[in-house]
Amino acid sequence: MNTTGMPPRYPMGRPMMDPQTYHKEHKRLWHLGNGMGLAVVGTFVVSFLLSMLILSLQQLLGMDDVSSMNGFAGGEILDQLTDMMLYIPTMLAPFLVFAKLSGYRLSSLTPLGKPKISLLVPGVMLGLGGCIVGNILTALISSSMGAAGVELSSPSVSTPQTLVGQLLFYTSTALIPALVEEFIFRGVVMQSLRRFGDGFAIVMSSVVFALMHGNLVQAPFALVVGLTIGYLVIITGSMWVGLIIHFLNNLFACILQVVFDSISLELASVISLAYYGILIALGVVGYVILHSKKAEFHRFYQPNPSLTTGQKLSAFLLNPGMIVSIVLILLVTAQYVHFVGFGG
C-alpha cells in the first residue's frame, strides 16, 4: 500500500494509465495500424487487377496499341482516361473498406465545415510556402545522393499536346489527386489516429502519405507537405485548407511543366526562381498572420493519460499489415534508385 502520499510510480516505459486501459488503447492502435497497412497492400492488389482488366479489354477491342491511335478515342486522351480509371478505385476502395470495417462513419473522418477566412487564407499561403520548402529539401537530398554516386528518379509524366488532353491532364494530375489523397491521408488516416493525440496523428499520416509515393524524389516533399497540411487542417478544424493547398500546388506544377516544355532552359530557370521566391514570401507572410491569430486556433488534442510515444509507434508500425506494406513500398522505391558511382 502506498503510504507516502505521492502518486504511484510506474516502471520505466509503462504508460501512466491503468493496465486495462493501456491494453485497450494499445490493441486499438495495433488494429488501426494493421488495417491501414492492409489498405496500402490493397492498393497494390486493386491496381494489379484493374491493370489486367483494362489490358484485356484493350486487347479484346483491338486497342492495345493506343499510342498509334489518333483523335479523341486514342493516344494521349485515352491514356489520361485510363490513368484516372486506375487511380481513383485503386486509392479509394481499400481505404473505404478500412473505414467501414473499423466502424467509422465517413462524416466523422471528413471535417468539411467552413473554416474561418482569417485562418484559411494565411493557412493556404503558409501551405504553399511549405511546398517550396519540400521542393528545396528534395533537391538537396537528390544532390547529396548524386554526389555519393546514387541517382534518384521518379515516374515520368508526359505533357499532352491537344486541348482536351491538357484539360484531362490538369484534372487527373491536379484536381483528382487533391480530392482523393486529402480524403485518405488527412481524412481517413489522420482523423482516425487523433484519438491518440493530434501530434501523433499528423506525423504518422504524413509518413504514410510520403511512403505511398514510392520513390525518394517525391517522398521527402510529401512528408514536408503532409506535416504542413496536417497541422493546418487541425488548427482550422477543416479539410478545405488542405484541399486548396494540394490542388494549387499540383495545378502550378502542371502549368509550369506545360510552359517549360515550350521555352528555353535559361528562361525556365528564371521563372522557377521567381516562382520559388513569390511562394516563400507568401509563406512567411502567412506564418506571421497565423501567429497573430493563435487565439482562433482549434486546440490540439492530447489524451491524458496516454500511451508513450514508443508504445504508440510499436503498436502502429509493428503489425503484419504495416510491415508487409512497408516491404512492398521499399521494393517499389528500389526501382527508382540507381547506383551510378562517383562521376557516373
Side-chain angles (χ1 to χ4, degrees), residues 154-236:
S154 61
S156 60
V157 179
S158 59
T159 305
Q161 302 301 311
T162 65
L163 177 60
V164 176
Q166 289 187 2
L167 290 174
L168 289 174
F169 174 66
Y170 291 128
T171 301
S172 64
T173 308
L175 178 60
I176 291 178
L179 294 172
V180 171
E181 292 173 15
E182 288 309 305
F183 167 76
I184 292 173
F185 298 107
R186 257 62 66 183
V188 173
V189 175
M190 190 174 79
Q191 300 301 324
S192 63
L193 291 176
R194 291 186 66 182
R195 173 191 181 98
F196 304 95
D198 284 343
F200 178 77
I202 292 171
V203 172
M204 287 298 100
S205 62
S206 300
V207 169
V208 176
F209 180 52
L211 289 174
M212 284 291 289
H213 282 75
N215 64 83
L216 294 177
V217 173
Q218 294 175 308
F221 169 82
L223 179 62
V224 172
V225 174
L227 291 170
T228 305
I229 292 179
Y231 171 75
L232 292 169
V233 168
I234 296 295
I235 67 170
T236 62

Side-chain angles (χ1 to χ4, degrees), residues 2-201:
N2 183 6
T3 60
T4 65
M6 300 294 291
R9 299 182 64 183
Y10 290 80
M12 185 67 68
R14 289 296 304 276
M16 299 296 289
M17 58 173 62
D18 64 89
Q20 184 177 0
T21 303
Y22 162 72
H23 289 296
K24 176 184 176 182
E25 292 299 287
H26 190 277
K27 182 178 180 181
R28 184 176 181 84
L29 183 53
W30 188 95
H31 281 293
L32 284 176
N34 190 59
M36 290 179 191
L38 291 176
V40 173
V41 174
T43 63
F44 286 88
V45 175
V46 174
S47 177
F48 174 77
L49 293 176
L50 284 179
S51 296
M52 292 298 100
L53 177 60
I54 291 175
L55 179 61
S56 298
L57 289 175
Q58 288 178 342
Q59 292 175 342
L60 182 64
L61 298 173
M63 299 166 59
D64 48 303
D65 187 13
V66 298
S67 61
S68 64
M69 301 177 67
N70 297 310
F72 183 82
E76 62 186 25
I77 297 174
L78 186 56
D79 286 342
Q80 295 292 327
L81 293 173
T82 301
D83 287 345
M84 285 189 278
M85 291 170 59
L86 276 171
Y87 174 78
I88 296 173
T90 291
M91 293 296 292
L92 283 182
F95 284 94
L96 286 172
V97 171
F98 160 77
K100 179 67 175 178
L101 294 180
S102 299
Y104 290 103
R105 293 186 301 174
L106 292 184
S107 59
S108 68
L109 298 177
T110 51
L112 291 171
K114 184 178 179 181
K116 293 182 178 180
I117 298 299
S118 59
L119 297 180
L120 176 64
V121 174
V124 170
M125 293 165 63
L126 176 59
L128 292 175
C131 292
I132 300 304
V133 173
N135 280 326
I136 293 173
L137 176 62
T138 295
L140 290 174
I141 292 175
S142 296
S143 177
S144 299
M145 296 293 282
V150 179
E151 182 181 81
L152 304 179
S153 62
S154 61
S156 60
V157 179
S158 59
T159 305
Q161 302 301 311
T162 65
L163 177 60
V164 176
Q166 289 187 2
L167 290 174
L168 289 174
F169 174 66
Y170 291 128
T171 301
S172 64
T173 308
L175 178 60
I176 291 178
L179 294 172
V180 171
E181 292 173 15
E182 288 309 305
F183 167 76
I184 292 173
F185 298 107
R186 257 62 66 183
V188 173
V189 175
M190 190 174 79
Q191 300 301 324
S192 63
L193 291 176
R194 291 186 66 182
R195 173 191 181 98
F196 304 95
D198 284 343
F200 178 77

